[in-house]
């Protein structure tokens, strides 16, 4: 699916640039099947945030935002930068994220 936006990477590969704004790139060490599962969790959590906001349910908003955060960290897009972590730390990051999100 293409949004028509131009997406570039910084020369070091650490960030993507979308519409002139820089965002941390997903950890390139992530196996595609793992990245796909984490993106599905992320999208579900974002839908849950939207639903909870429309229901004006603050507890559900907090819980859904926590799941968004967990997925973004597992993807390497938040938290300690993936390029500052060892291979073992990176693997542990996404395994811990999947463990928490799959429950």
């Amino acid at each position: 699916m293409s949004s028509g936006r131009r997406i570039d990477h910084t020369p070091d590969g650490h960030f993507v640039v979308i519409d002139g704004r820089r965002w941390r790139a997903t950890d390139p060490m992530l196996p595609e099947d793992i990245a796909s599962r984490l993106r599905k969790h992320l999208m579900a959590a974002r839908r849950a945030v939207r639903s909870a906001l429309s229901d004006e349910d603050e507890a559900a908003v907090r819980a859904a935002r926590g799941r968004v955060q967990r997925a973004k960290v597992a993807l390497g897009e938040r938290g300690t930068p993936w390029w500052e972590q060892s291979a073992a730390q990176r693997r542990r990051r996404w395994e811990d994220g999947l463990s928490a999100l799959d429950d």
Side-chain angles (χ1 to χ4, degrees):
M1 183 171 87
S2 175
S3 65
R5 292 180 173 172
R6 180 182 169 100
I7 300 174
D8 294 312
H9 283 83
T10 56
D12 59 14
H14 296 171
F15 298 91
V16 294
V17 181
I18 304 171
D19 294 336
R21 189 162 178 191
R22 201 173 72 152
W23 302 89
R24 191 182 308 170
T26 298
D27 183 347
M29 188 175 136
L30 272 169
E32 184 48 41
D33 62 320
I34 300 295
S36 177
R37 286 173 58 197
L38 289 169
R39 285 191 298 269
K40 286 179 184 175
H41 281 296
L42 176 61
M43 293 301 106
R46 286 178 169 167
R47 286 190 299 274
V49 169
R50 185 174 56 240
S51 177
L53 285 170
S54 72
D55 292 345
E56 298 181 5
D57 183 341
E58 289 302 315
V61 169
R62 279 190 303 279
R65 285 185 174 157
R67 289 193 307 275
V68 167
Q69 175 69 9
R70 172 65 79 169
K72 297 287 278 179
V73 168
L75 285 162
E77 297 174 7
R78 291 189 183 156
T80 302
W82 49 261
W83 57 90
E84 294 178 2
Q85 295 179 314
S86 69
Q89 290 171 318
R90 291 161 81 176
R91 175 178 290 282
R92 190 168 40 257
R93 184 195 68 237
W94 78 64
E95 287 174 346
D96 289 351
L98 275 177
S99 176
L101 291 164
D102 282 345
D103 285 340

